[in-house]
Amino acid sequence: MERLKRVTQPTTLVTGEIPRVDQRNHAFARGMSGDLGPGTAREFRRFITKHPLGAALAGAAGRLASPVEGGIAGTKAPLPEDPTAVSRHIKQLAYFLRADIVGICRLPQYAVYSHDLAGNPVELDHEYAISLVVDQDYDTFRGSTGDDWISGSQSFMAYATSVLLACVMADYIRRLGYPARAHHVFDYQVLIVPLLLLAGIGEICRAGLVLNPFLGTRFKAAVVTTDLPLEPDGPVDFGLQQFCRVCRRCANGCRPGAISDGEQVMINGYEKWPFEADRCSKYRIGNQGGSSCGRCIKVCPWNKPAGRMHDLARGVVKHAPFLAGLLIRMDEALGYGKRDERYKWWLDLEDVDGVLTVPGDRTVASDRR
Amino acid sequence: MERLKRVTQPTTLVTGEIPRVDQRNHAFARGMSGDLGPGTAREFRRFITKHPLGAALAGAAGRLASPVEGGIAGTKAPLPEDPTAVSRHIKQLAYFLRADIVGICRLPQYAVYSHDLAGNPVELDHEYAISLVVDQDYDTFRGSTGDDWISGSQSFMAYATSVLLACVMADYIRRLGYPARAHHVFDYQVLIVPLLLLAGIGEICRAGLVLNPFLGTRFKAAVVTTDLPLEPDGPVDFGLQQFCRVCRRCANGCRPGAISDGEQVMINGYEKWPFEADRCSKYRIGNQGGSSCGRCIKVCPWNKPAGRMHDLARGVVKHAPFLAGLLIRMDEALGYGKRDERYKWWLDLEDVDGVLTVPGDRTVASDRR
């Protein structure tokens, strides 16, 4: 990551004054509150915990989740004066804590929710945001369709790990005498996507997510905001915009049709592909053939392990973008994006009224890949 | 790990009826209770938390630490009937949860404490023990003397991670309808060393720890005990006993002289090198030049990253044990076991009466390597 080319502006055009967002408008919040229908509100309470591993992971993440804030040491610790040295220290700490990727940016106010889920105004004026990224496991995606019974557990394995990371780092920074707050799946005051974009974790892809050149979108992130003096990273440009223009794998693979196969348009100050968040959330929450969904992650050609051939492909995307179409056809011919039964290690189980049963396949079989 | 040669008996000779151990006799328990002197009892309360990162990690691990037990689903889930398939599932789950190594053994009663720290008799009749191993980070050891200010945080990074792993796995197994209990740094009912030995995580080394061929002793472990039907792994033999007979790196590197440079003797039913646990614990707890100690881990020739040359060296130890002495001299000549300043990423800080200060080096400078 440290060798990637940094640019002054994100590759997603951001124009004008970007309005702050009310957390109650987040599609998951709307699903929970009943805005997406009573069935979705009912399923919201069980779409992760209906699988026993998802339930165990969500329980552990919940026990870790607080405190996100706490007392700040009265005396500042003697730290290096150079913010670059402090940034390097914080990044090495993140890797020591087993983060897969870390990046730092300034915290713009448009990335702070205007109101929380309870409708209270959010005020957060920390100067920096540290984004902590945890992989959802490549091998598990190999064995999965992306929306079968392990998807919710993949999310919560990465969430639980990132909660541990963010809470430890925020606590550590407060002990150094600086304000710091952990933001994670159970308690966000910030929008993750713009922070990942500004910190150079990746570029915004067709599916509306931040795509990292080494992980694709196969990750979850938690954030620590702080006033500890840091040196921000810059956004990255590895040629993704041109790639996503040609590739429609996620749009074709999305069962509820939430991802556009058309062109980029201006939305809320960002030039990006339209994305139907309500459709996506309704499908993930209501999926009766599995727990949650990560099909767009699974089928994406950037969902790859480390390797020399994949380094080469990344180089081609960057330096010969006109070959993107060829790469995408090769990727398909090699069977990437398909399910490989040899990698299926989990059990298909569903909690129905307190009893674990083998779920019937309630989706159309021919629709499964 | 799955390709290592398995043997029927551990390479450490275990004879006769091994008596159960009272947890109050553990050297750390004796340090806490005052048996090792009032200074050690006082320092016990701060030897990890006197560094701000150790304090943050211990706090997070503590929040995760319960429950180790809980309700068991009333109906057993439909599982594969073959215990080998269930074992494979449990091991793949461990790797999915980001364990570095996992192994399974039967739980012998001698590995269950007779009494807990409060003096209550311990009863635990689970049939199997699943050992979950988490690396303490090779690069951090490169930059450390082993007993400077990061050592306690290395322990608790691995502990916190293993607590998360063990609690999630135990909860998951209970949800499948089988008893399961997590055992971790804050709440052990079992002795870890014999379980790691029986599960083939490694062999017992000169320092009295279980040494894994890929990680050395650079790890912490948590355990899940359960009645879920499993297929146990066997002990391993990769030639360590002969290696440790020749190598005295840990004995020479141990500042309090807790590790013997002599021969193996029979102790408590095990044929092993004598180890002065009280000296070790007193030094770790009372270390005024750092937080805790992992010198024996740091200086051990098995403390290595993955790599082809190191695979080759492992092969030599196994198949040409008479070359062990040569390997050990090569290792020393290559500078392994020494501190490499370029890898020092942490801050030397000590909490003195609530204020973080840069600690003076209170140990003899010439003693540092």
Side-chain angles (χ1 to χ4, degrees):
Chain A
M1 284 300 296
E2 301 294 329
R3 287 200 296 264
L4 281 182
K5 181 187 155 196
R6 301 287 166 159
V7 290
T8 51
Q9 293 295 323
T11 54
T12 292
L13 179 68
V14 184
T15 59
E17 185 89 9
I18 304 175
R20 285 172 69 180
V21 177
D22 190 321
Q23 194 173 14
R24 290 170 294 184
N25 293 334
H26 189 285
F28 266 143
R30 287 159 46 71
M32 182 166 50
S33 70
D35 280 2
L36 304 182
T40 301
R42 192 182 59 242
E43 287 294 307
F44 186 84
R45 291 192 294 272
R46 66 183 287 276
F47 83 109
I48 300 297
T49 58
K50 68 187 176 184
H51 190 277
L53 181 55
L57 282 162
R63 284 194 294 283
L64 264 174
S66 64
V68 290
E69 294 182 276
I72 301 162
T75 309
K76 286 187 163 52
L79 298 181
E81 291 199 3
D82 177 8
T84 308
V86 180
S87 283
R88 193 164 56 232
H89 169 63
I90 288 294
K91 287 183 171 184
Q92 287 170 313
L93 169 61
Y95 291 119
F96 172 69
L97 295 173
R98 302 164 70 98
D100 291 306
I101 294 176
V102 55
I104 300 172
C105 67
R106 289 188 186 280
L107 175 65
Q109 279 297 304
Y110 66 79
V112 178
Y113 281 119
S114 66
H115 296 79
D116 66 17
L117 291 174
N120 302 312
V122 176
E123 283 184 32
L124 180 75
D125 61 359
H126 290 161
E127 202 161 343
Y128 301 101
I130 305 157
S131 291
L132 301 162
V133 165
V134 176
D135 191 344
Q136 289 188 48
D137 196 45
Y138 178 68
D139 277 347
T140 299
F141 265 116
R142 286 171 99 165
S144 158
T145 60
D147 63 346
D148 44 22
W149 291 91
I150 197 62
S151 176
S153 297
Q154 286 186 276
S155 296
F156 271 79
M157 179 275 285
Y159 277 138
T161 306
S162 69
V163 169
L164 176 61
L165 271 160
C167 288
V168 168
M169 183 178 279
D171 186 2
Y172 172 68
I173 294 173
R174 292 192 299 269
R175 288 172 188 274
L176 298 181
Y178 295 84
R181 188 191 195 277
H183 303 262
H184 54 63
V185 59
F186 290 107
D187 194 342
Y188 291 119
Q189 284 188 337
V190 296
L191 286 84
I192 299 291
V193 167
L195 298 180
L196 296 175
L197 181 66
L198 292 172
I201 300 296
E203 296 182 56
I204 293 183
C205 70
R206 182 179 281 279
L209 302 166
V210 169
L211 190 151
N212 175 270
F214 305 101
L215 296 177
T217 58
R218 194 185 66 237
F219 65 85
K220 296 291 187 189
V223 165
V224 173
T225 58
T226 182
D227 285 335
L228 180 72
L230 295 169
E231 173 70 30
D233 296 308
V236 289
D237 178 359
F238 53 94
L240 185 69
Q241 302 309 302
Q242 180 55 28
F243 186 93
C244 282
R245 276 187 202 108
V246 181
C247 178
R248 291 175 175 80
R249 195 79 71 78
C250 60
N252 296 337
C254 178
R255 301 200 205 276
I259 303 171
S260 160
D261 62 2
E263 305 300 316
Q264 286 167 306
V265 292
M266 287 304 303
I267 303 165
N268 209 20
Y270 296 88
E271 186 186 30
K272 61 178 194 172
W273 287 276
F275 177 71
E276 305 265 8
D278 283 1
R279 280 195 196 181
C280 167
S281 292
K282 266 188 92 152
Y283 182 76
R284 276 202 277 175
I285 297 167
N287 178 9
Q288 295 297 303
S291 163
S292 195
C293 177
R295 287 276 298 161
C296 54
I297 304 172
K298 157 78 184 179
V299 301
C300 175
W302 294 84
N303 175 35
K304 290 278 183 300
R308 216 168 295 178
M309 285 307 289
H310 301 145
D311 290 342
L312 184 66
R314 272 186 284 269
V316 171
V317 170
K318 176 71 194 151
H319 300 292
F322 54 92
L323 292 176
L326 177 65
L327 277 180
I328 293 160
R329 284 194 299 278
M330 277 172 60
D331 187 83
E332 196 141 16
L334 288 168
Y336 286 109
K338 287 212 167 50
R339 176 173 169 230
D340 185 338
E341 175 76 33
R342 293 171 300 174
Y343 288 90
K344 179 170 183 289
W345 60 267
W346 62 93
L347 304 170
D348 293 342
L349 291 171
E350 179 177 8
D351 180 335
V352 180
D353 300 326
V355 175
L356 293 179
T357 53
V358 177
D361 191 347
R362 278 167 253 179
T363 59
V364 182
S366 64
D367 196 29
R368 294 269 151 192
R369 301 165 216 213
Chain B
M1 281 301 296
E2 301 294 328
R3 286 199 295 264
L4 282 183
K5 180 187 156 199
R6 300 289 167 157
V7 289
T8 51
Q9 293 297 325
T11 54
T12 291
L13 179 67
V14 183
T15 58
E17 186 89 7
I18 305 176
R20 284 173 69 182
V21 177
D22 189 321
Q23 194 173 13
R24 291 170 292 182
N25 293 333
H26 190 285
F28 266 144
R30 289 159 46 70
M32 183 166 50
S33 70
D35 280 1
L36 303 183
T40 302
R42 191 182 60 239
E43 287 295 307
F44 187 85
R45 290 192 294 273
R46 65 182 289 274
F47 82 108
I48 301 298
T49 57
K50 67 186 176 185
H51 190 276
L53 181 56
L57 282 161
R63 285 193 294 282
L64 263 173
S66 63
V68 290
E69 294 182 275
I72 302 162
T75 308
K76 286 189 162 49
L79 299 182
E81 293 198 4
D82 178 6
T84 308
V86 180
S87 284
R88 194 165 53 233
H89 169 63
I90 289 293
K91 287 183 173 186
Q92 288 171 311
L93 169 60
Y95 290 119
F96 172 69
L97 296 174
R98 300 162 76 95
D100 291 305
I101 294 176
V102 56
I104 298 173
C105 67
R106 290 189 188 280
L107 175 65
Q109 279 298 304
Y110 67 77
V112 178
Y113 281 119
S114 65
H115 297 79
D116 65 16
L117 290 175
N120 302 311
V122 176
E123 284 184 30
L124 182 73
D125 61 359
H126 290 161
E127 202 161 344
Y128 301 101
I130 305 157
S131 292
L132 302 161
V133 165
V134 176
D135 191 346
Q136 290 189 45
D137 196 43
Y138 177 69
D139 277 348
T140 299
F141 265 117
R142 287 172 99 165
S144 159
T145 60
D147 63 347
D148 45 21
W149 291 90
I150 196 63
S151 176
S153 298
Q154 285 186 275
S155 296
F156 271 79
M157 179 275 285
Y159 277 138
T161 307
S162 69
V163 169
L164 175 62
L165 271 159
C167 289
V168 168
M169 182 177 279
D171 186 5
Y172 172 68
I173 294 174
R174 291 193 299 268
R175 288 173 189 274
L176 298 180
Y178 295 85
R181 186 191 196 278
H183 304 262
H184 54 61
V185 59
F186 291 107
D187 195 342
Y188 292 118
Q189 285 188 337
V190 295
L191 285 83
I192 299 291
V193 167
L195 299 179
L196 296 175
L197 181 66
L198 292 171
I201 300 295
E203 296 182 56
I204 293 185
C205 69
R206 181 179 281 278
L209 303 165
V210 170
L211 190 152
N212 174 271
F214 305 102
L215 296 177
T217 57
R218 196 185 65 234
F219 64 84
K220 295 292 186 188
V223 164
V224 173
T225 58
T226 182
D227 285 335
L228 180 72
L230 295 170
E231 173 69 27
D233 297 308
V236 290
D237 178 0
F238 54 93
L240 186 69
Q241 302 309 302
Q242 179 55 30
F243 186 92
C244 283
R245 274 186 205 112
V246 181
C247 177
R248 293 174 173 82
R249 194 80 70 82
C250 58
N252 295 336
C254 178
R255 300 199 206 276
I259 304 171
S260 159
D261 62 1
E263 304 302 315
Q264 286 166 308
V265 292
M266 288 303 303
I267 303 167
N268 210 18
Y270 297 88
E271 186 188 27
K272 60 179 194 172
W273 287 275
F275 178 69
E276 306 265 7
D278 283 0
R279 278 194 199 182
C280 168
S281 292
K282 267 188 89 153
Y283 182 76
R284 277 203 278 175
I285 296 167
N287 178 8
Q288 295 297 303
S291 165
S292 196
C293 178
R295 286 275 301 161
C296 54
I297 305 171
K298 157 77 185 181
V299 301
C300 176
W302 295 84
N303 174 35
K304 290 279 183 301
R308 216 168 294 178
M309 284 307 290
H310 301 145
D311 290 343
L312 184 65
R314 273 185 284 269
V316 170
V317 171
K318 176 72 193 147
H319 300 292
F322 54 94
L323 291 176
L326 178 65
L327 277 179
I328 294 161
R329 284 195 298 276
M330 277 172 62
D331 188 83
E332 194 141 18
L334 288 167
Y336 285 108
K338 288 214 165 49
R339 177 172 169 230
D340 185 338
E341 174 77 31
R342 293 170 300 175
Y343 288 89
K344 180 170 185 289
W345 60 267
W346 62 94
L347 304 171
D348 293 342
L349 290 171
E350 180 178 7
D351 181 335
V352 179
D353 301 326
V355 175
L356 294 179
T357 52
V358 177
D361 191 347
R362 276 167 257 177
T363 59
V364 182
S366 64
D367 198 32
R368 296 269 151 192
R369 300 158 212 222

